[in-house]
Amino acid sequence: MSDLVTRLRRHNWRITPQRRVIAETLEGSHVHFTAEQVLERACERMPELSRATVYNTLNEMVALGEVIELSLEGRSKRYDPNADHDHHHLICEGCGLMKDVHAVADPVEWLPGDERHGFTITRASITYRGLCPDCQAAA
Amino acid sequence: MSDLVTRLRRHNWRITPQRRVIAETLEGSHVHFTAEQVLERACERMPELSRATVYNTLNEMVALGEVIELSLEGRSKRYDPNADHDHHHLICEGCGLMKDVHAVADPVEWLPGDERHGFTITRASITYRGLCPDCQAAA
DNA sequence: TCTCAGTTTAGACATAGTCTAAGTTAGGAT
DNA sequence: ATCCTAACTTAGACTATGTCTAAACTGAGA
């Protein structure tokens, strides 16, 4: 069983066949899919699945805090089933490949008080950009 | 004269009236506007300015490296006329207010070699999230 | 003045995402 | 078991954001 499904069930969230397929699609890859990519892959297992259900379900999983929504590149959002807020993202500027990474310091501590403009800061995420090994070889 | 216009001129880029209005609109605020907001404000000074010109011009300024494109929140990109890549962003989760901030360390150094997956890393940006003073008071 | 590359324009088109109204499903009450 | 109800799903219309195209315009140099 998908770990994401387990986490979702803890919220007393009804696990319908559609939601299960969507959760398992999200979790079954190292890549972070867009909603359209989730729809496409989930439809291989459940062809009658509708676009609206995919969008609704992804938004609900984000609202429950079990999936992170990423607006990093291009026009569409991507969904990360790893809800651990301490990880960051590494993006290849050549091909768009995205990896989860962990940094050794908490960025919140590196923002001086006089740069906080009176905000209370709850979290921080880092986006690293560069070239993946394949794109370096191609260059 | 707008500093952004000065920087753009150095690229031998023709500064037309339309481009000047767009650049000055971008730079004349502490807020980072969406393309539609730039269009709306620029049209107050030049009503016949077209949507296509705003989008083209913003994309060209990004390509020249003099404006940074931000895909952080919501559906639309925002444009930051401060091309200094060492600054980061602080976003209020209540009202969407966005501020430029500077951290005291370079986040690239916080990513250990074994978390780099063979990438060459060229830059890193941090997105801080929290509540601005007004939204704290309202809560 | 003429020419031509670069620029601007209106509007068609494309893509991403949301909403609505109707139909379906599942679980509790009877 | 059957009914009732709320939650869920669906197709497709709709909205928002951004890109493209073809034609018109502009201005610097021949």
Side-chain angles (χ1 to χ4, degrees):
Chain A
M1 156 163 336
S2 151
D3 177 54
L4 177 56
V5 170
T6 307
R7 282 186 280 136
L8 291 167
R9 199 189 295 282
R10 276 194 216 116
H11 293 276
N12 291 323
W13 203 53
R14 205 151 109 191
I15 307 297
T16 65
Q18 290 89 343
R19 290 175 174 179
R20 174 186 300 280
V21 168
I22 292 167
E24 289 175 358
T25 299
L26 252 197
E27 201 162 50
S29 165
H30 299 294
V31 178
H32 299 329
F33 291 134
T34 64
E36 288 299 325
Q37 290 170 331
V38 171
L39 173 63
E40 182 184 326
R41 281 161 182 75
C43 275
E44 290 168 8
R45 290 174 54 193
M46 184 180 275
E48 71 282 11
L49 183 66
S50 77
R51 173 185 318 276
T53 298
V54 171
Y55 278 97
N56 288 343
T57 300
L58 290 172
N59 285 337
E60 285 158 15
M61 294 190 304
V62 170
L64 290 176
E66 296 298 348
V67 165
I68 296 174
E69 186 179 79
L70 303 167
S71 308
L72 296 176
E73 197 87 353
R75 271 180 290 186
S76 46
K77 295 172 185 168
R78 291 176 179 273
Y79 295 88
D80 182 348
N82 176 0
D84 162 19
H85 274 277
D86 287 337
H87 77 279
H88 305 293
H89 295 96
L90 174 54
I91 300 177
C92 175
E93 297 193 296
C95 64
L97 177 68
M98 189 185 304
K99 293 237 177 218
D100 286 3
V101 296
H102 293 263
V104 295
D106 178 3
V108 175
E109 297 181 0
W110 295 96
L111 190 64
D114 61 0
E115 284 282 338
R116 298 192 183 196
H117 301 283
F119 280 55
T120 48
I121 296 175
T122 52
R123 58 205 168 84
S125 61
I126 308 175
T127 306
Y128 293 95
R129 291 168 198 276
L131 285 180
C132 72
D134 287 352
C135 288
Q136 289 168 52
Chain B
M1 161 167 326
S2 151
D3 178 55
L4 177 56
V5 170
T6 307
R7 283 186 281 136
L8 291 167
R9 199 189 295 284
R10 279 195 213 114
H11 292 278
N12 291 324
W13 201 54
R14 204 151 110 192
I15 308 297
T16 64
Q18 289 88 345
R19 289 175 175 180
R20 174 185 300 280
V21 168
I22 292 166
E24 289 177 358
T25 300
L26 251 196
E27 201 163 50
S29 166
H30 298 295
V31 179
H32 299 328
F33 291 133
T34 65
E36 289 298 326
Q37 291 171 329
V38 171
L39 173 63
E40 183 185 326
R41 281 162 183 75
C43 276
E44 292 169 6
R45 288 174 54 193
M46 184 182 274
E48 71 283 12
L49 183 66
S50 78
R51 174 186 317 276
T53 297
V54 171
Y55 277 96
N56 288 343
T57 300
L58 290 171
N59 284 338
E60 285 158 14
M61 294 189 305
V62 170
L64 290 175
E66 296 297 348
V67 165
I68 297 174
E69 187 179 78
L70 303 167
S71 309
L72 296 176
E73 196 88 353
R75 271 179 290 188
S76 46
K77 296 170 185 168
R78 292 178 179 269
Y79 295 88
D80 182 349
N82 176 0
D84 162 18
H85 274 276
D86 286 340
H87 76 280
H88 305 293
H89 294 96
L90 173 54
I91 300 177
C92 175
E93 297 192 296
C95 64
L97 177 67
M98 188 185 306
K99 294 239 176 215
D100 285 2
V101 296
H102 293 263
V104 296
D106 178 4
V108 174
E109 296 177 4
W110 308 335
L111 191 64
D114 61 359
E115 284 282 340
R116 297 193 183 194
H117 302 283
F119 280 55
T120 48
I121 296 176
T122 53
R123 56 206 169 85
S125 61
I126 309 175
T127 306
Y128 293 95
R129 291 169 196 276
L131 285 181
C132 72
D134 287 352
C135 288
Q136 288 169 52

